[in-house]
Amino acid sequence: MKIRIKAILGVFLGGLFLQGCSLEEQIYSSAISDTFMKSEDDVIARVNGVYSVLPTFDCFKSNLNYIIFYGADDIGTTSAAFRLFNERTVSASDRYFITPWRTFYRVINEANAMIETVGASEVGSEAFRKRIIGEMHFMRAFAYFYLVRMHGGVPIHTSSTNGSSDFYPARNSVEEVYQLIFDDFRIATE
């Protein structure tokens, strides 16, 4: 009985060893745009990542709705957490107030990175790259549209963030932000 179990175990382990020997894979050092996007499917995966940020609790699923609903004139609440929105005394560091800001700037940064990367790549057809770049201009304009309506003039970023970026840019005027939004929408419709 013991010999039979050892034989079965030996055959099983030998099979695993032989299966593992034929494994061929290319390992990238990191999943950055220069090494990750090799096909249209890779580009679509990254585009889906940009879209996936919006339906989270930090944005449309929860916190942004509190700002919109409880900041309106026709809705009231006695909740201590949301009464501040009714009274217009909410702090800029309030978690419900700051997380949509961060989320929209994350969308903007990812859209900028996609515009730069896809514009410089040879992945897919010209029509495919143009469509993706148009979608990312739309996403950037969409994020700025919410930011400018909630915060007025906000800093404009039209390139992706890296180590040499200015992390404390000045606010742009409301007119400049709307001009960027209209320009991005024009590019998205071309």
Side-chain angles (χ1 to χ4, degrees):
M1 185 82 153
K2 285 185 176 182
I3 295 174
R4 190 175 204 194
I5 293 173
K6 286 182 181 179
I8 292 172
L9 186 61
V11 169
F12 177 72
L13 291 175
L16 283 177
F17 176 74
L18 291 175
Q19 182 67 18
C21 291
S22 65
L23 181 65
E24 291 181 25
E25 63 182 342
Q26 183 176 0
I27 299 174
Y28 301 111
S29 60
S30 62
I32 58 173
S33 56
D34 295 338
T35 60
F36 175 70
M37 296 194 317
K38 300 293 184 190
S39 69
E40 287 185 7
D41 290 337
D42 296 339
V43 174
I44 296 297
R46 185 140 182 230
V47 168
N48 289 340
V50 176
Y51 287 122
S52 71
V53 176
L54 296 176
T56 62
F57 278 99
D58 288 344
C59 200
F60 284 105
K61 199 169 192 176
S62 180
N63 292 354
L64 180 62
N65 294 328
Y66 295 140
I67 296 171
I68 294 170
F69 293 148
Y70 296 120
D73 293 331
D74 55 347
I75 296 177
T77 182
T78 58
S79 167
F82 306 126
R83 188 177 64 237
L84 299 174
F85 290 107
N86 283 133
E87 297 169 352
R88 310 293 196 281
T89 58
V90 66
S91 168
S93 62
D94 185 88
R95 66 184 168 134
Y96 297 111
F97 196 67
I98 195 72
T99 54
W101 171 282
R102 284 193 314 232
T103 301
F104 284 127
Y105 270 105
R106 183 174 169 200
V107 169
I108 290 165
N109 189 52
E110 290 296 322
N112 287 336
M114 286 295 292
I115 290 167
E116 294 166 3
T117 305
V118 172
S121 77
E122 297 295 323
V123 175
S125 66
E126 183 68 32
F128 174 77
R129 290 191 302 274
K130 186 175 179 182
R131 187 194 90 199
I132 298 299
I133 290 171
E135 284 184 39
M136 292 301 101
H137 277 281
F138 173 83
M139 290 300 292
R140 184 170 72 185
F142 179 80
Y144 273 120
F145 179 71
Y146 271 91
L147 286 170
V148 75
R149 292 186 59 203
M150 289 187 301
H151 302 284
V154 294
I156 291 178
H157 296 278
T158 55
S159 61
S160 61
T161 305
N162 58 37
S164 62
S165 297
D166 180 12
F167 292 104
Y168 301 102
R171 286 179 175 251
N172 292 81
S173 69
V174 172
E175 293 78 19
E176 291 172 322
V177 177
Y178 273 114
Q179 186 60 51
L180 176 70
I181 291 169
F182 293 136
D183 291 345
D184 276 349
F185 281 148
R186 268 189 227 101
I187 292 169
T189 58
E190 293 176 353

